[in-house]
Amino acid sequence: MRASRVLAVTATAFAAVGLAAPMAAATNGPSNVTVNPYSVHQGATMKVTAQGCGHGGKVWSNAFPTTELSAGGTGYATARIRHNTTPGHYHLSVKCSDNDRIATHKFTVLAGNGAQGGLGGSMGPDSVEMQVGGGLVAAAAVGGAVFLVRRRRTSHAAF
């Protein structure tokens, strides 16, 4: 009697797991779509996130080319706004690879290029800066050599 109970409980547990697996794999489509930043300049990039696309998907709009959405619980995509996009309000669409449902979200395209802020030291020096730097290094080397030569002569004369 005891073995039959254990067998019944085990069979019920396996049946519950077996029936729940297909429901867990199925998705209801994209949800909680967000964009960052909401207002983006022509030619700039915008990050799009969407939940519910476990197997990835795609994001598209009139303002940028179709972009792939990464797989996982929360999918990410980076969209570059076309340089010739007319400023104004736009919609983007998100579609998961494993579902036909489409979610949309609004965003705004601003005129002109945005500030190149945050580049800090990531911009390389130009040729003029390289020449000035090279000249300073050469001058320091010549000055150091002259100092050492004069110091040696002075020290030999003292004895």
Side-chain angles (χ1 to χ4, degrees):
M1 181 93 155
R2 195 169 208 183
S4 63
R5 262 191 228 169
V6 170
L7 184 61
V9 169
T10 304
T12 304
F14 279 120
V17 169
L19 292 174
M23 287 186 271
T27 62
N28 293 327
S31 63
N32 297 333
V33 177
T34 61
V35 296
N36 187 22
Y38 175 79
S39 298
V40 61
H41 286 277
Q42 298 165 320
T45 59
M46 173 177 62
K47 184 176 180 181
V48 180
T49 60
Q51 294 179 344
C53 293
H55 299 287
K58 62 182 180 175
V59 180
W60 70 93
S61 172
N62 291 339
F64 57 84
T66 300
T67 306
E68 294 297 318
L69 190 68
S70 66
T74 300
Y76 300 95
T78 301
R80 180 171 296 279
I81 307 298
R82 292 184 184 99
H83 290 282
N84 61 351
T85 300
T86 305
H89 299 287
Y90 288 86
H91 286 85
L92 62 84
S93 300
V94 179
K95 181 183 178 300
C96 298
S97 298
D98 57 357
N99 195 300
D100 288 336
R101 187 168 166 236
I102 296 175
T104 61
H105 196 279
K106 294 180 185 179
F107 66 98
T108 302
V109 174
L110 303 173
N113 294 330
Q116 296 295 320
L119 294 177
S122 65
M123 300 297 289
D126 61 6
S127 61
V128 173
E129 291 171 338
M130 290 296 289
Q131 290 171 357
V132 169
L136 290 172
V137 169
V142 169
V146 167
F147 175 76
L148 289 175
V149 169
R150 289 188 51 95
R151 183 173 178 173
R152 283 188 194 155
R153 286 186 188 164
T154 307
S155 64
H156 288 302
F159 289 111

Coordinates of all heavy atoms in Angstrom, one line a residue, residues 116-150:
Q116 N 28.8 65.4 -28.9 CA 29.7 64.2 -28.8 C 30.2 64.1 -27.4 O 31.4 64.0 -27.2 CB 30.8 64.4 -29.8 CG 30.4 64.4 -31.2 CD 29.8 63.1 -31.6 OE1 30.3 62.0 -31.3 NE2 28.7 63.1 -32.4
G117 N 29.4 64.3 -26.4 CA 29.8 64.2 -25.0 C 30.2 62.8 -24.6 O 29.8 61.8 -25.2
G118 N 31.1 62.8 -23.6 CA 31.5 61.5 -23.1 C 32.6 60.8 -23.8 O 33.0 59.7 -23.5
L119 N 33.1 61.5 -24.8 CA 34.2 60.8 -25.6 C 35.5 60.9 -24.9 O 36.4 60.1 -25.0 CB 34.3 61.4 -27.0 CG 33.1 61.1 -27.9 CD1 33.3 61.8 -29.2 CD2 32.9 59.6 -28.1
G120 N 35.7 62.0 -24.1 CA 36.9 62.1 -23.2 C 38.2 61.8 -23.9 O 38.5 62.4 -24.9
G121 N 38.9 60.8 -23.4 CA 40.2 60.5 -24.0 C 40.1 59.5 -25.1 O 41.1 58.9 -25.5
S122 N 38.9 59.1 -25.6 CA 38.8 58.1 -26.6 C 39.1 58.6 -28.0 O 39.2 57.9 -28.9 CB 37.4 57.5 -26.6 OG 36.5 58.5 -26.9
M123 N 39.2 60.0 -28.1 CA 39.6 60.5 -29.4 C 41.1 60.6 -29.6 O 41.8 61.1 -28.7 CB 39.0 61.9 -29.6 CG 37.5 62.0 -29.5 SD 36.6 61.1 -30.8 CE 36.9 62.1 -32.1
G124 N 41.6 60.1 -30.7 CA 43.1 60.1 -30.9 C 43.6 61.5 -31.2 O 42.9 62.4 -31.7
P125 N 44.9 61.7 -31.0 CA 45.5 63.0 -31.3 C 45.6 63.2 -32.8 O 45.8 62.2 -33.6 CB 46.9 62.9 -30.7 CG 47.2 61.5 -30.5 CD 45.9 60.8 -30.4
D126 N 45.6 64.4 -33.3 CA 45.8 64.6 -34.7 C 47.3 64.9 -35.0 O 48.1 64.8 -34.1 CB 44.9 65.8 -35.2 CG 45.2 67.1 -34.5 OD1 46.2 67.2 -33.8 OD2 44.5 68.1 -34.8
S127 N 47.6 65.1 -36.3 CA 49.0 65.2 -36.6 C 49.7 66.4 -36.0 O 50.9 66.4 -35.6 CB 49.2 65.3 -38.2 OG 48.5 66.4 -38.7
V128 N 49.0 67.6 -35.8 CA 49.6 68.7 -35.2 C 50.0 68.4 -33.7 O 51.1 68.7 -33.3 CB 48.7 70.0 -35.3 CG1 49.2 71.1 -34.5 CG2 48.5 70.3 -36.8
E129 N 49.1 67.8 -33.0 CA 49.3 67.4 -31.6 C 50.5 66.5 -31.5 O 51.3 66.6 -30.6 CB 48.1 66.8 -31.0 CG 47.0 67.9 -30.8 CD 45.7 67.2 -30.4 OE1 45.5 66.0 -30.6 OE2 44.8 67.9 -29.8
M130 N 50.6 65.5 -32.5 CA 51.7 64.6 -32.5 C 53.1 65.3 -32.7 O 54.1 65.0 -32.1 CB 51.5 63.5 -33.5 CG 50.4 62.5 -33.2 SD 50.7 61.6 -31.7 CE 52.0 60.5 -32.3
Q131 N 53.1 66.3 -33.6 CA 54.3 67.0 -33.9 C 54.7 67.9 -32.7 O 55.9 67.9 -32.4 CB 54.1 67.9 -35.1 CG 54.0 67.1 -36.4 CD 53.6 68.0 -37.6 OE1 53.3 69.2 -37.5 NE2 53.5 67.4 -38.8
V132 N 53.8 68.5 -32.1 CA 54.1 69.3 -30.9 C 54.7 68.4 -29.8 O 55.7 68.7 -29.1 CB 52.9 70.1 -30.4 CG1 53.1 70.7 -29.0 CG2 52.5 71.2 -31.4
G133 N 54.0 67.3 -29.6 CA 54.5 66.4 -28.5 C 55.9 65.8 -28.8 O 56.7 65.7 -27.9
G134 N 56.1 65.5 -30.1 CA 57.4 65.0 -30.5 C 58.5 66.1 -30.3 O 59.6 65.8 -29.9
G135 N 58.2 67.3 -30.6 CA 59.1 68.4 -30.4 C 59.5 68.6 -29.0 O 60.6 68.9 -28.6
L136 N 58.5 68.5 -28.1 CA 58.7 68.7 -26.7 C 59.6 67.6 -26.1 O 60.5 67.8 -25.3 CB 57.4 68.7 -25.9 CG 56.5 70.0 -26.1 CD1 55.2 69.8 -25.5 CD2 57.2 71.2 -25.6
V137 N 59.4 66.3 -26.6 CA 60.2 65.2 -26.1 C 61.6 65.4 -26.6 O 62.6 65.2 -25.9 CB 59.6 63.9 -26.6 CG1 60.6 62.7 -26.4 CG2 58.3 63.6 -25.9
A138 N 61.8 65.8 -27.9 CA 63.2 66.0 -28.4 C 63.9 67.2 -27.6 O 65.0 67.0 -27.3 CB 63.1 66.4 -29.9
A139 N 63.2 68.2 -27.3 CA 63.7 69.3 -26.6 C 64.1 68.9 -25.2 O 65.2 69.3 -24.7 CB 62.8 70.5 -26.5
A140 N 63.3 68.1 -24.6 CA 63.7 67.6 -23.2 C 64.9 66.7 -23.3 O 65.8 66.7 -22.4 CB 62.5 66.8 -22.6
A141 N 65.0 65.9 -24.3 CA 66.2 65.0 -24.5 C 67.5 65.8 -24.7 O 68.5 65.5 -24.1 CB 66.0 64.0 -25.6
V142 N 67.4 66.8 -25.5 CA 68.6 67.7 -25.8 C 68.9 68.4 -24.5 O 70.1 68.5 -24.1 CB 68.3 68.6 -27.0 CG1 69.4 69.7 -27.0 CG2 68.2 67.9 -28.3
G143 N 68.0 69.0 -23.8 CA 68.2 69.7 -22.6 C 68.8 68.8 -21.5 O 69.8 69.2 -20.8
G144 N 68.4 67.6 -21.4 CA 68.9 66.6 -20.4 C 70.4 66.3 -20.8 O 71.2 66.2 -19.9
A145 N 70.7 66.1 -22.1 CA 72.0 65.7 -22.5 C 73.0 66.9 -22.2 O 74.1 66.7 -21.7 CB 72.0 65.4 -24.0
V146 N 72.6 68.1 -22.5 CA 73.4 69.3 -22.2 C 73.6 69.4 -20.7 O 74.8 69.7 -20.3 CB 72.7 70.6 -22.7 CG1 73.4 71.8 -22.2 CG2 72.7 70.5 -24.3
F147 N 72.6 69.2 -19.9 CA 72.8 69.3 -18.4 C 73.8 68.2 -17.9 O 74.7 68.5 -17.1 CB 71.4 69.0 -17.7 CG 71.5 69.0 -16.3 CD1 71.7 70.1 -15.5 CD2 71.4 67.8 -15.6 CE1 71.8 70.1 -14.1 CE2 71.5 67.7 -14.2 CZ 71.7 68.9 -13.5
L148 N 73.7 67.0 -18.4 CA 74.6 65.9 -18.0 C 76.1 66.2 -18.4 O 77.0 66.0 -17.7 CB 74.2 64.6 -18.5 CG 72.9 64.0 -17.9 CD1 72.5 62.7 -18.6 CD2 73.2 63.8 -16.4
V149 N 76.3 66.7 -19.7 CA 77.6 67.0 -20.2 C 78.2 68.2 -19.4 O 79.4 68.1 -19.0 CB 77.6 67.3 -21.7 CG1 78.9 67.9 -22.2 CG2 77.2 66.1 -22.5
R150 N 77.5 69.2 -19.1 CA 78.0 70.3 -18.3 C 78.3 69.9 -16.9 O 79.3 70.4 -16.3 CB 77.0 71.5 -18.4 CG 76.9 72.2 -19.8 CD 76.1 73.4 -19.7 NE 76.5 74.3 -18.7 CZ 77.3 75.4 -18.8 NH1 77.9 75.6 -20.0 NH2 77.6 76.2 -17.9

